[in-house]
């Protein structure tokens, strides 16, 4: 399951890099990204059934968490995705390969610590049941988004 999530995230960031090459494509990508974000906010709001007080405290935490998570992935994962094709991996020395692995592990640890901190902060804002619902809602949203993407690709 972890590998599936990692591959999904990797695919997402590789797609970002490809779309960012051209100005018009970049703008369309930005629009799609905003549209997806709006859909995600609506989906999570619906799934969690937040009170106005909970929402006022939750969304700033959530947005900060998402922003920091994206920043970490963008900076750190970008550094070793450039080496992910077989030819460049085969050309790495054992020392360089170990350094890339170490960087990957550090990134995963940094993301894990960020998530732990986020959940700890949420405990002061939401009941544990809503925190669990958040996790489930995020997974469901990702599945639905991926399924829509697959359906669109197959329909072409």
């Amino acid at each position: 399951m972890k590998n599936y999530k990692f591959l999904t995230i990797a695919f997402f960031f590789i797609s970002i890099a490809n779309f960012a090459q051209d100005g018009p494509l970049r703008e369309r990508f930005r629009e799609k990204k905003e549209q997806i974000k709006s859909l995600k906010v609506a989906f999570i709001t619906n799934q969690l059934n937040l009170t106005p007080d909970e929402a006022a405290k939750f969304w700033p935490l959530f947005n900060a968490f998402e922003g920091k998570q994206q920043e970490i992935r963008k900076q750190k994962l970008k550094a070793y995705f450039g080496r992910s094709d077989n030819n460049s991996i085969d050309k790495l020395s054992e020392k360089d390969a170990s350094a890339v692995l170490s960087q990957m592990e550090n990134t995963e640890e940094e993301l894990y610590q960020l998530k732990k901190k986020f959940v700890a902060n949420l405990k002061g804002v939401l009941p544990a049941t809503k925190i669990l619902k958040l996790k489930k809602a995020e997974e469901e949203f990702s599945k639905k988004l991926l399924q829509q993407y697959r359906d669109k690709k197959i329909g072409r």
Side-chain angles (χ1 to χ4, degrees):
M1 185 69 173
K2 264 187 170 182
N3 287 338
Y4 179 76
K5 285 182 183 179
F6 182 75
L7 288 174
T8 302
I9 292 166
F11 175 75
F12 179 73
F13 282 104
I14 290 170
S15 296
I16 288 172
N18 288 337
F19 280 126
Q21 299 300 317
D22 298 318
L25 284 176
R26 187 180 309 153
E27 186 58 36
R28 276 195 301 181
F29 177 73
R30 226 179 266 130
E31 290 171 6
K32 286 289 185 188
K33 187 177 171 185
E34 287 301 315
Q35 183 182 24
I36 290 169
K37 185 175 180 177
S38 297
L39 291 170
K40 185 175 184 178
V41 167
F43 188 81
I44 289 173
T45 299
N46 184 47
Q47 294 295 309
L48 296 186
N49 196 23
L50 297 172
T51 67
D53 185 50
E54 288 172 336
K57 294 175 183 173
F58 169 76
W59 286 112
L61 288 173
F62 184 83
N63 291 333
F65 167 71
E66 288 246 309
K68 182 65 176 169
Q69 193 175 39
Q70 186 178 24
E71 180 185 315
I72 291 169
R73 287 183 178 138
K74 187 176 180 179
Q75 291 173 356
K76 307 291 182 175
L77 297 179
K78 184 178 163 184
Y80 55 79
F81 273 129
R83 299 181 177 145
S84 64
D85 68 0
N86 283 338
N87 290 336
S88 61
I89 290 173
D90 290 339
K91 293 177 184 174
L92 286 175
S93 68
E94 194 60 29
K95 183 179 177 181
D96 289 340
S98 289
V100 171
L101 279 175
S102 179
Q103 183 181 15
M104 291 171 70
E105 290 169 347
N106 290 340
T107 299
E108 290 302 316
E109 179 63 26
E110 194 173 350
L111 289 167
Y112 173 72
Q113 292 302 326
L114 179 66
K115 189 161 210 142
K116 274 182 69 172
K117 183 179 176 183
F118 175 62
V119 170
N121 289 338
L122 283 181
K123 287 179 181 177
V125 174
L126 298 176
T129 54
K130 286 191 178 183
I131 296 171
L132 292 174
K133 284 182 181 181
L134 171 63
K135 176 72 173 152
K136 185 177 179 196
E138 287 182 299
E139 289 175 2
E140 285 179 23
F141 182 81
S142 294
K143 283 180 188 176
K144 286 182 180 194
L145 188 63
L146 191 56
Q147 187 60 49
Q148 284 180 350
Y149 178 75
R150 285 182 185 147
D151 292 345
K152 188 176 180 180
K153 281 291 201 186
I154 291 171
R156 284 188 177 183

